[in-house]
Amino acid sequence: GTHFNMSAEGSAIDYDTKYVLSFFQQGNSFGYCYFDMSTLKFYLGSFEDDFTLKRFRTLSMTTRPIEAICLSSVGQKDEAVGILRNSQTPPAMSYISQELVAGKNFLKDELEKTFGEKTPKALENLNSLSSKALSIAIVYLKQLLLAETSIPVAEFFHQNDQD
């Protein structure tokens, strides 16, 4: 059956959901994008974390990703990667080369190609952290040849940004 677990915000998380989590880390700041290919719902945001990475731990516990994606510059010994690897259900890890998302206008160009003038509202004012996390997710989907069938029809939700 479906198990629901109440998150701190009081929203039910459905554990039959198969989330893929892409994240971008700068110091103790994170941008994230988690999405489910069966519902095509993408959730984006960013946060400032403490040195124990408490918020990142919470994110990984509430989303329970089946796969996590980050830049290849993030090493195996990275603390965030360690948190994911040591979770109850460790996700598969995928690494995206920095060069693929490095272009200053990478995301802008991708969104224009995909949506033309009709970029979803949730994607309009992303900060650099959540933009990078979304860029990593897009490159991942392109490598699986799923971007063209998923991104144009996906629903995007901008959760919170802390610059």
Side-chain angles (χ1 to χ4, degrees):
T2 302
H3 302 288
F4 284 103
N5 194 345
M6 299 310 271
S7 70
E9 288 78 41
S11 59
I13 302 258
D14 175 355
Y15 283 132
D16 291 343
T17 317
K18 304 271 186 271
Y19 285 124
V20 175
L21 169 69
S22 69
F23 67 94
F24 175 74
Q25 183 181 3
Q26 216 163 28
N28 280 351
S29 300
F30 285 86
Y32 66 85
C33 170
Y34 62 90
F35 56 94
D36 180 340
M37 287 309 288
S38 61
T39 62
L40 292 181
K41 287 181 159 65
F42 285 67
Y43 300 89
L44 296 136
S46 63
F47 52 84
E48 197 55 58
D49 217 338
D50 64 11
F51 72 98
T52 66
L53 303 191
K54 188 167 149 241
R55 295 191 66 177
F56 186 79
R57 279 173 213 278
T58 303
L59 176 68
S60 80
M61 273 165 37
T62 47
T63 56
R64 290 193 184 179
I66 53 165
E67 184 155 10
I69 321 147
C70 57
L71 293 178
S72 48
S73 53
V74 175
Q76 304 284 329
K77 292 187 172 53
D78 182 81
E79 195 172 350
V81 172
I83 289 170
L84 292 164
R85 283 189 191 285
N86 295 323
S87 63
Q88 282 179 314
T89 49
M93 293 296 304
S94 294
Y95 297 91
I96 300 287
S97 153
Q98 168 79 43
E99 288 72 65
L100 295 174
V101 293
K104 199 170 88 61
N105 293 322
F106 171 83
L107 188 60
K108 194 168 153 288
D109 295 346
E110 282 300 319
L111 295 177
E112 262 168 33
K113 264 197 306 229
T114 307
F115 300 108
E117 299 299 299
K118 295 188 175 61
T119 297
K121 214 122 208 61
L123 302 182
E124 278 175 6
N125 298 306
L126 299 178
N127 67 13
S128 65
L129 292 166
S130 34
S131 295
K132 273 281 197 289
L134 177 59
S135 299
I136 291 168
I138 289 173
V139 169
Y140 166 83
L141 290 169
K142 286 175 95 156
Q143 289 180 346
L144 295 179
L145 304 180
L146 293 170
E148 286 172 20
T149 52
S150 57
I151 307 254
V153 291
E155 277 183 274
F156 294 92
F157 303 91
H158 191 175
Q159 293 187 311
N160 55 355
D161 262 339
Q162 294 176 337
D163 265 317

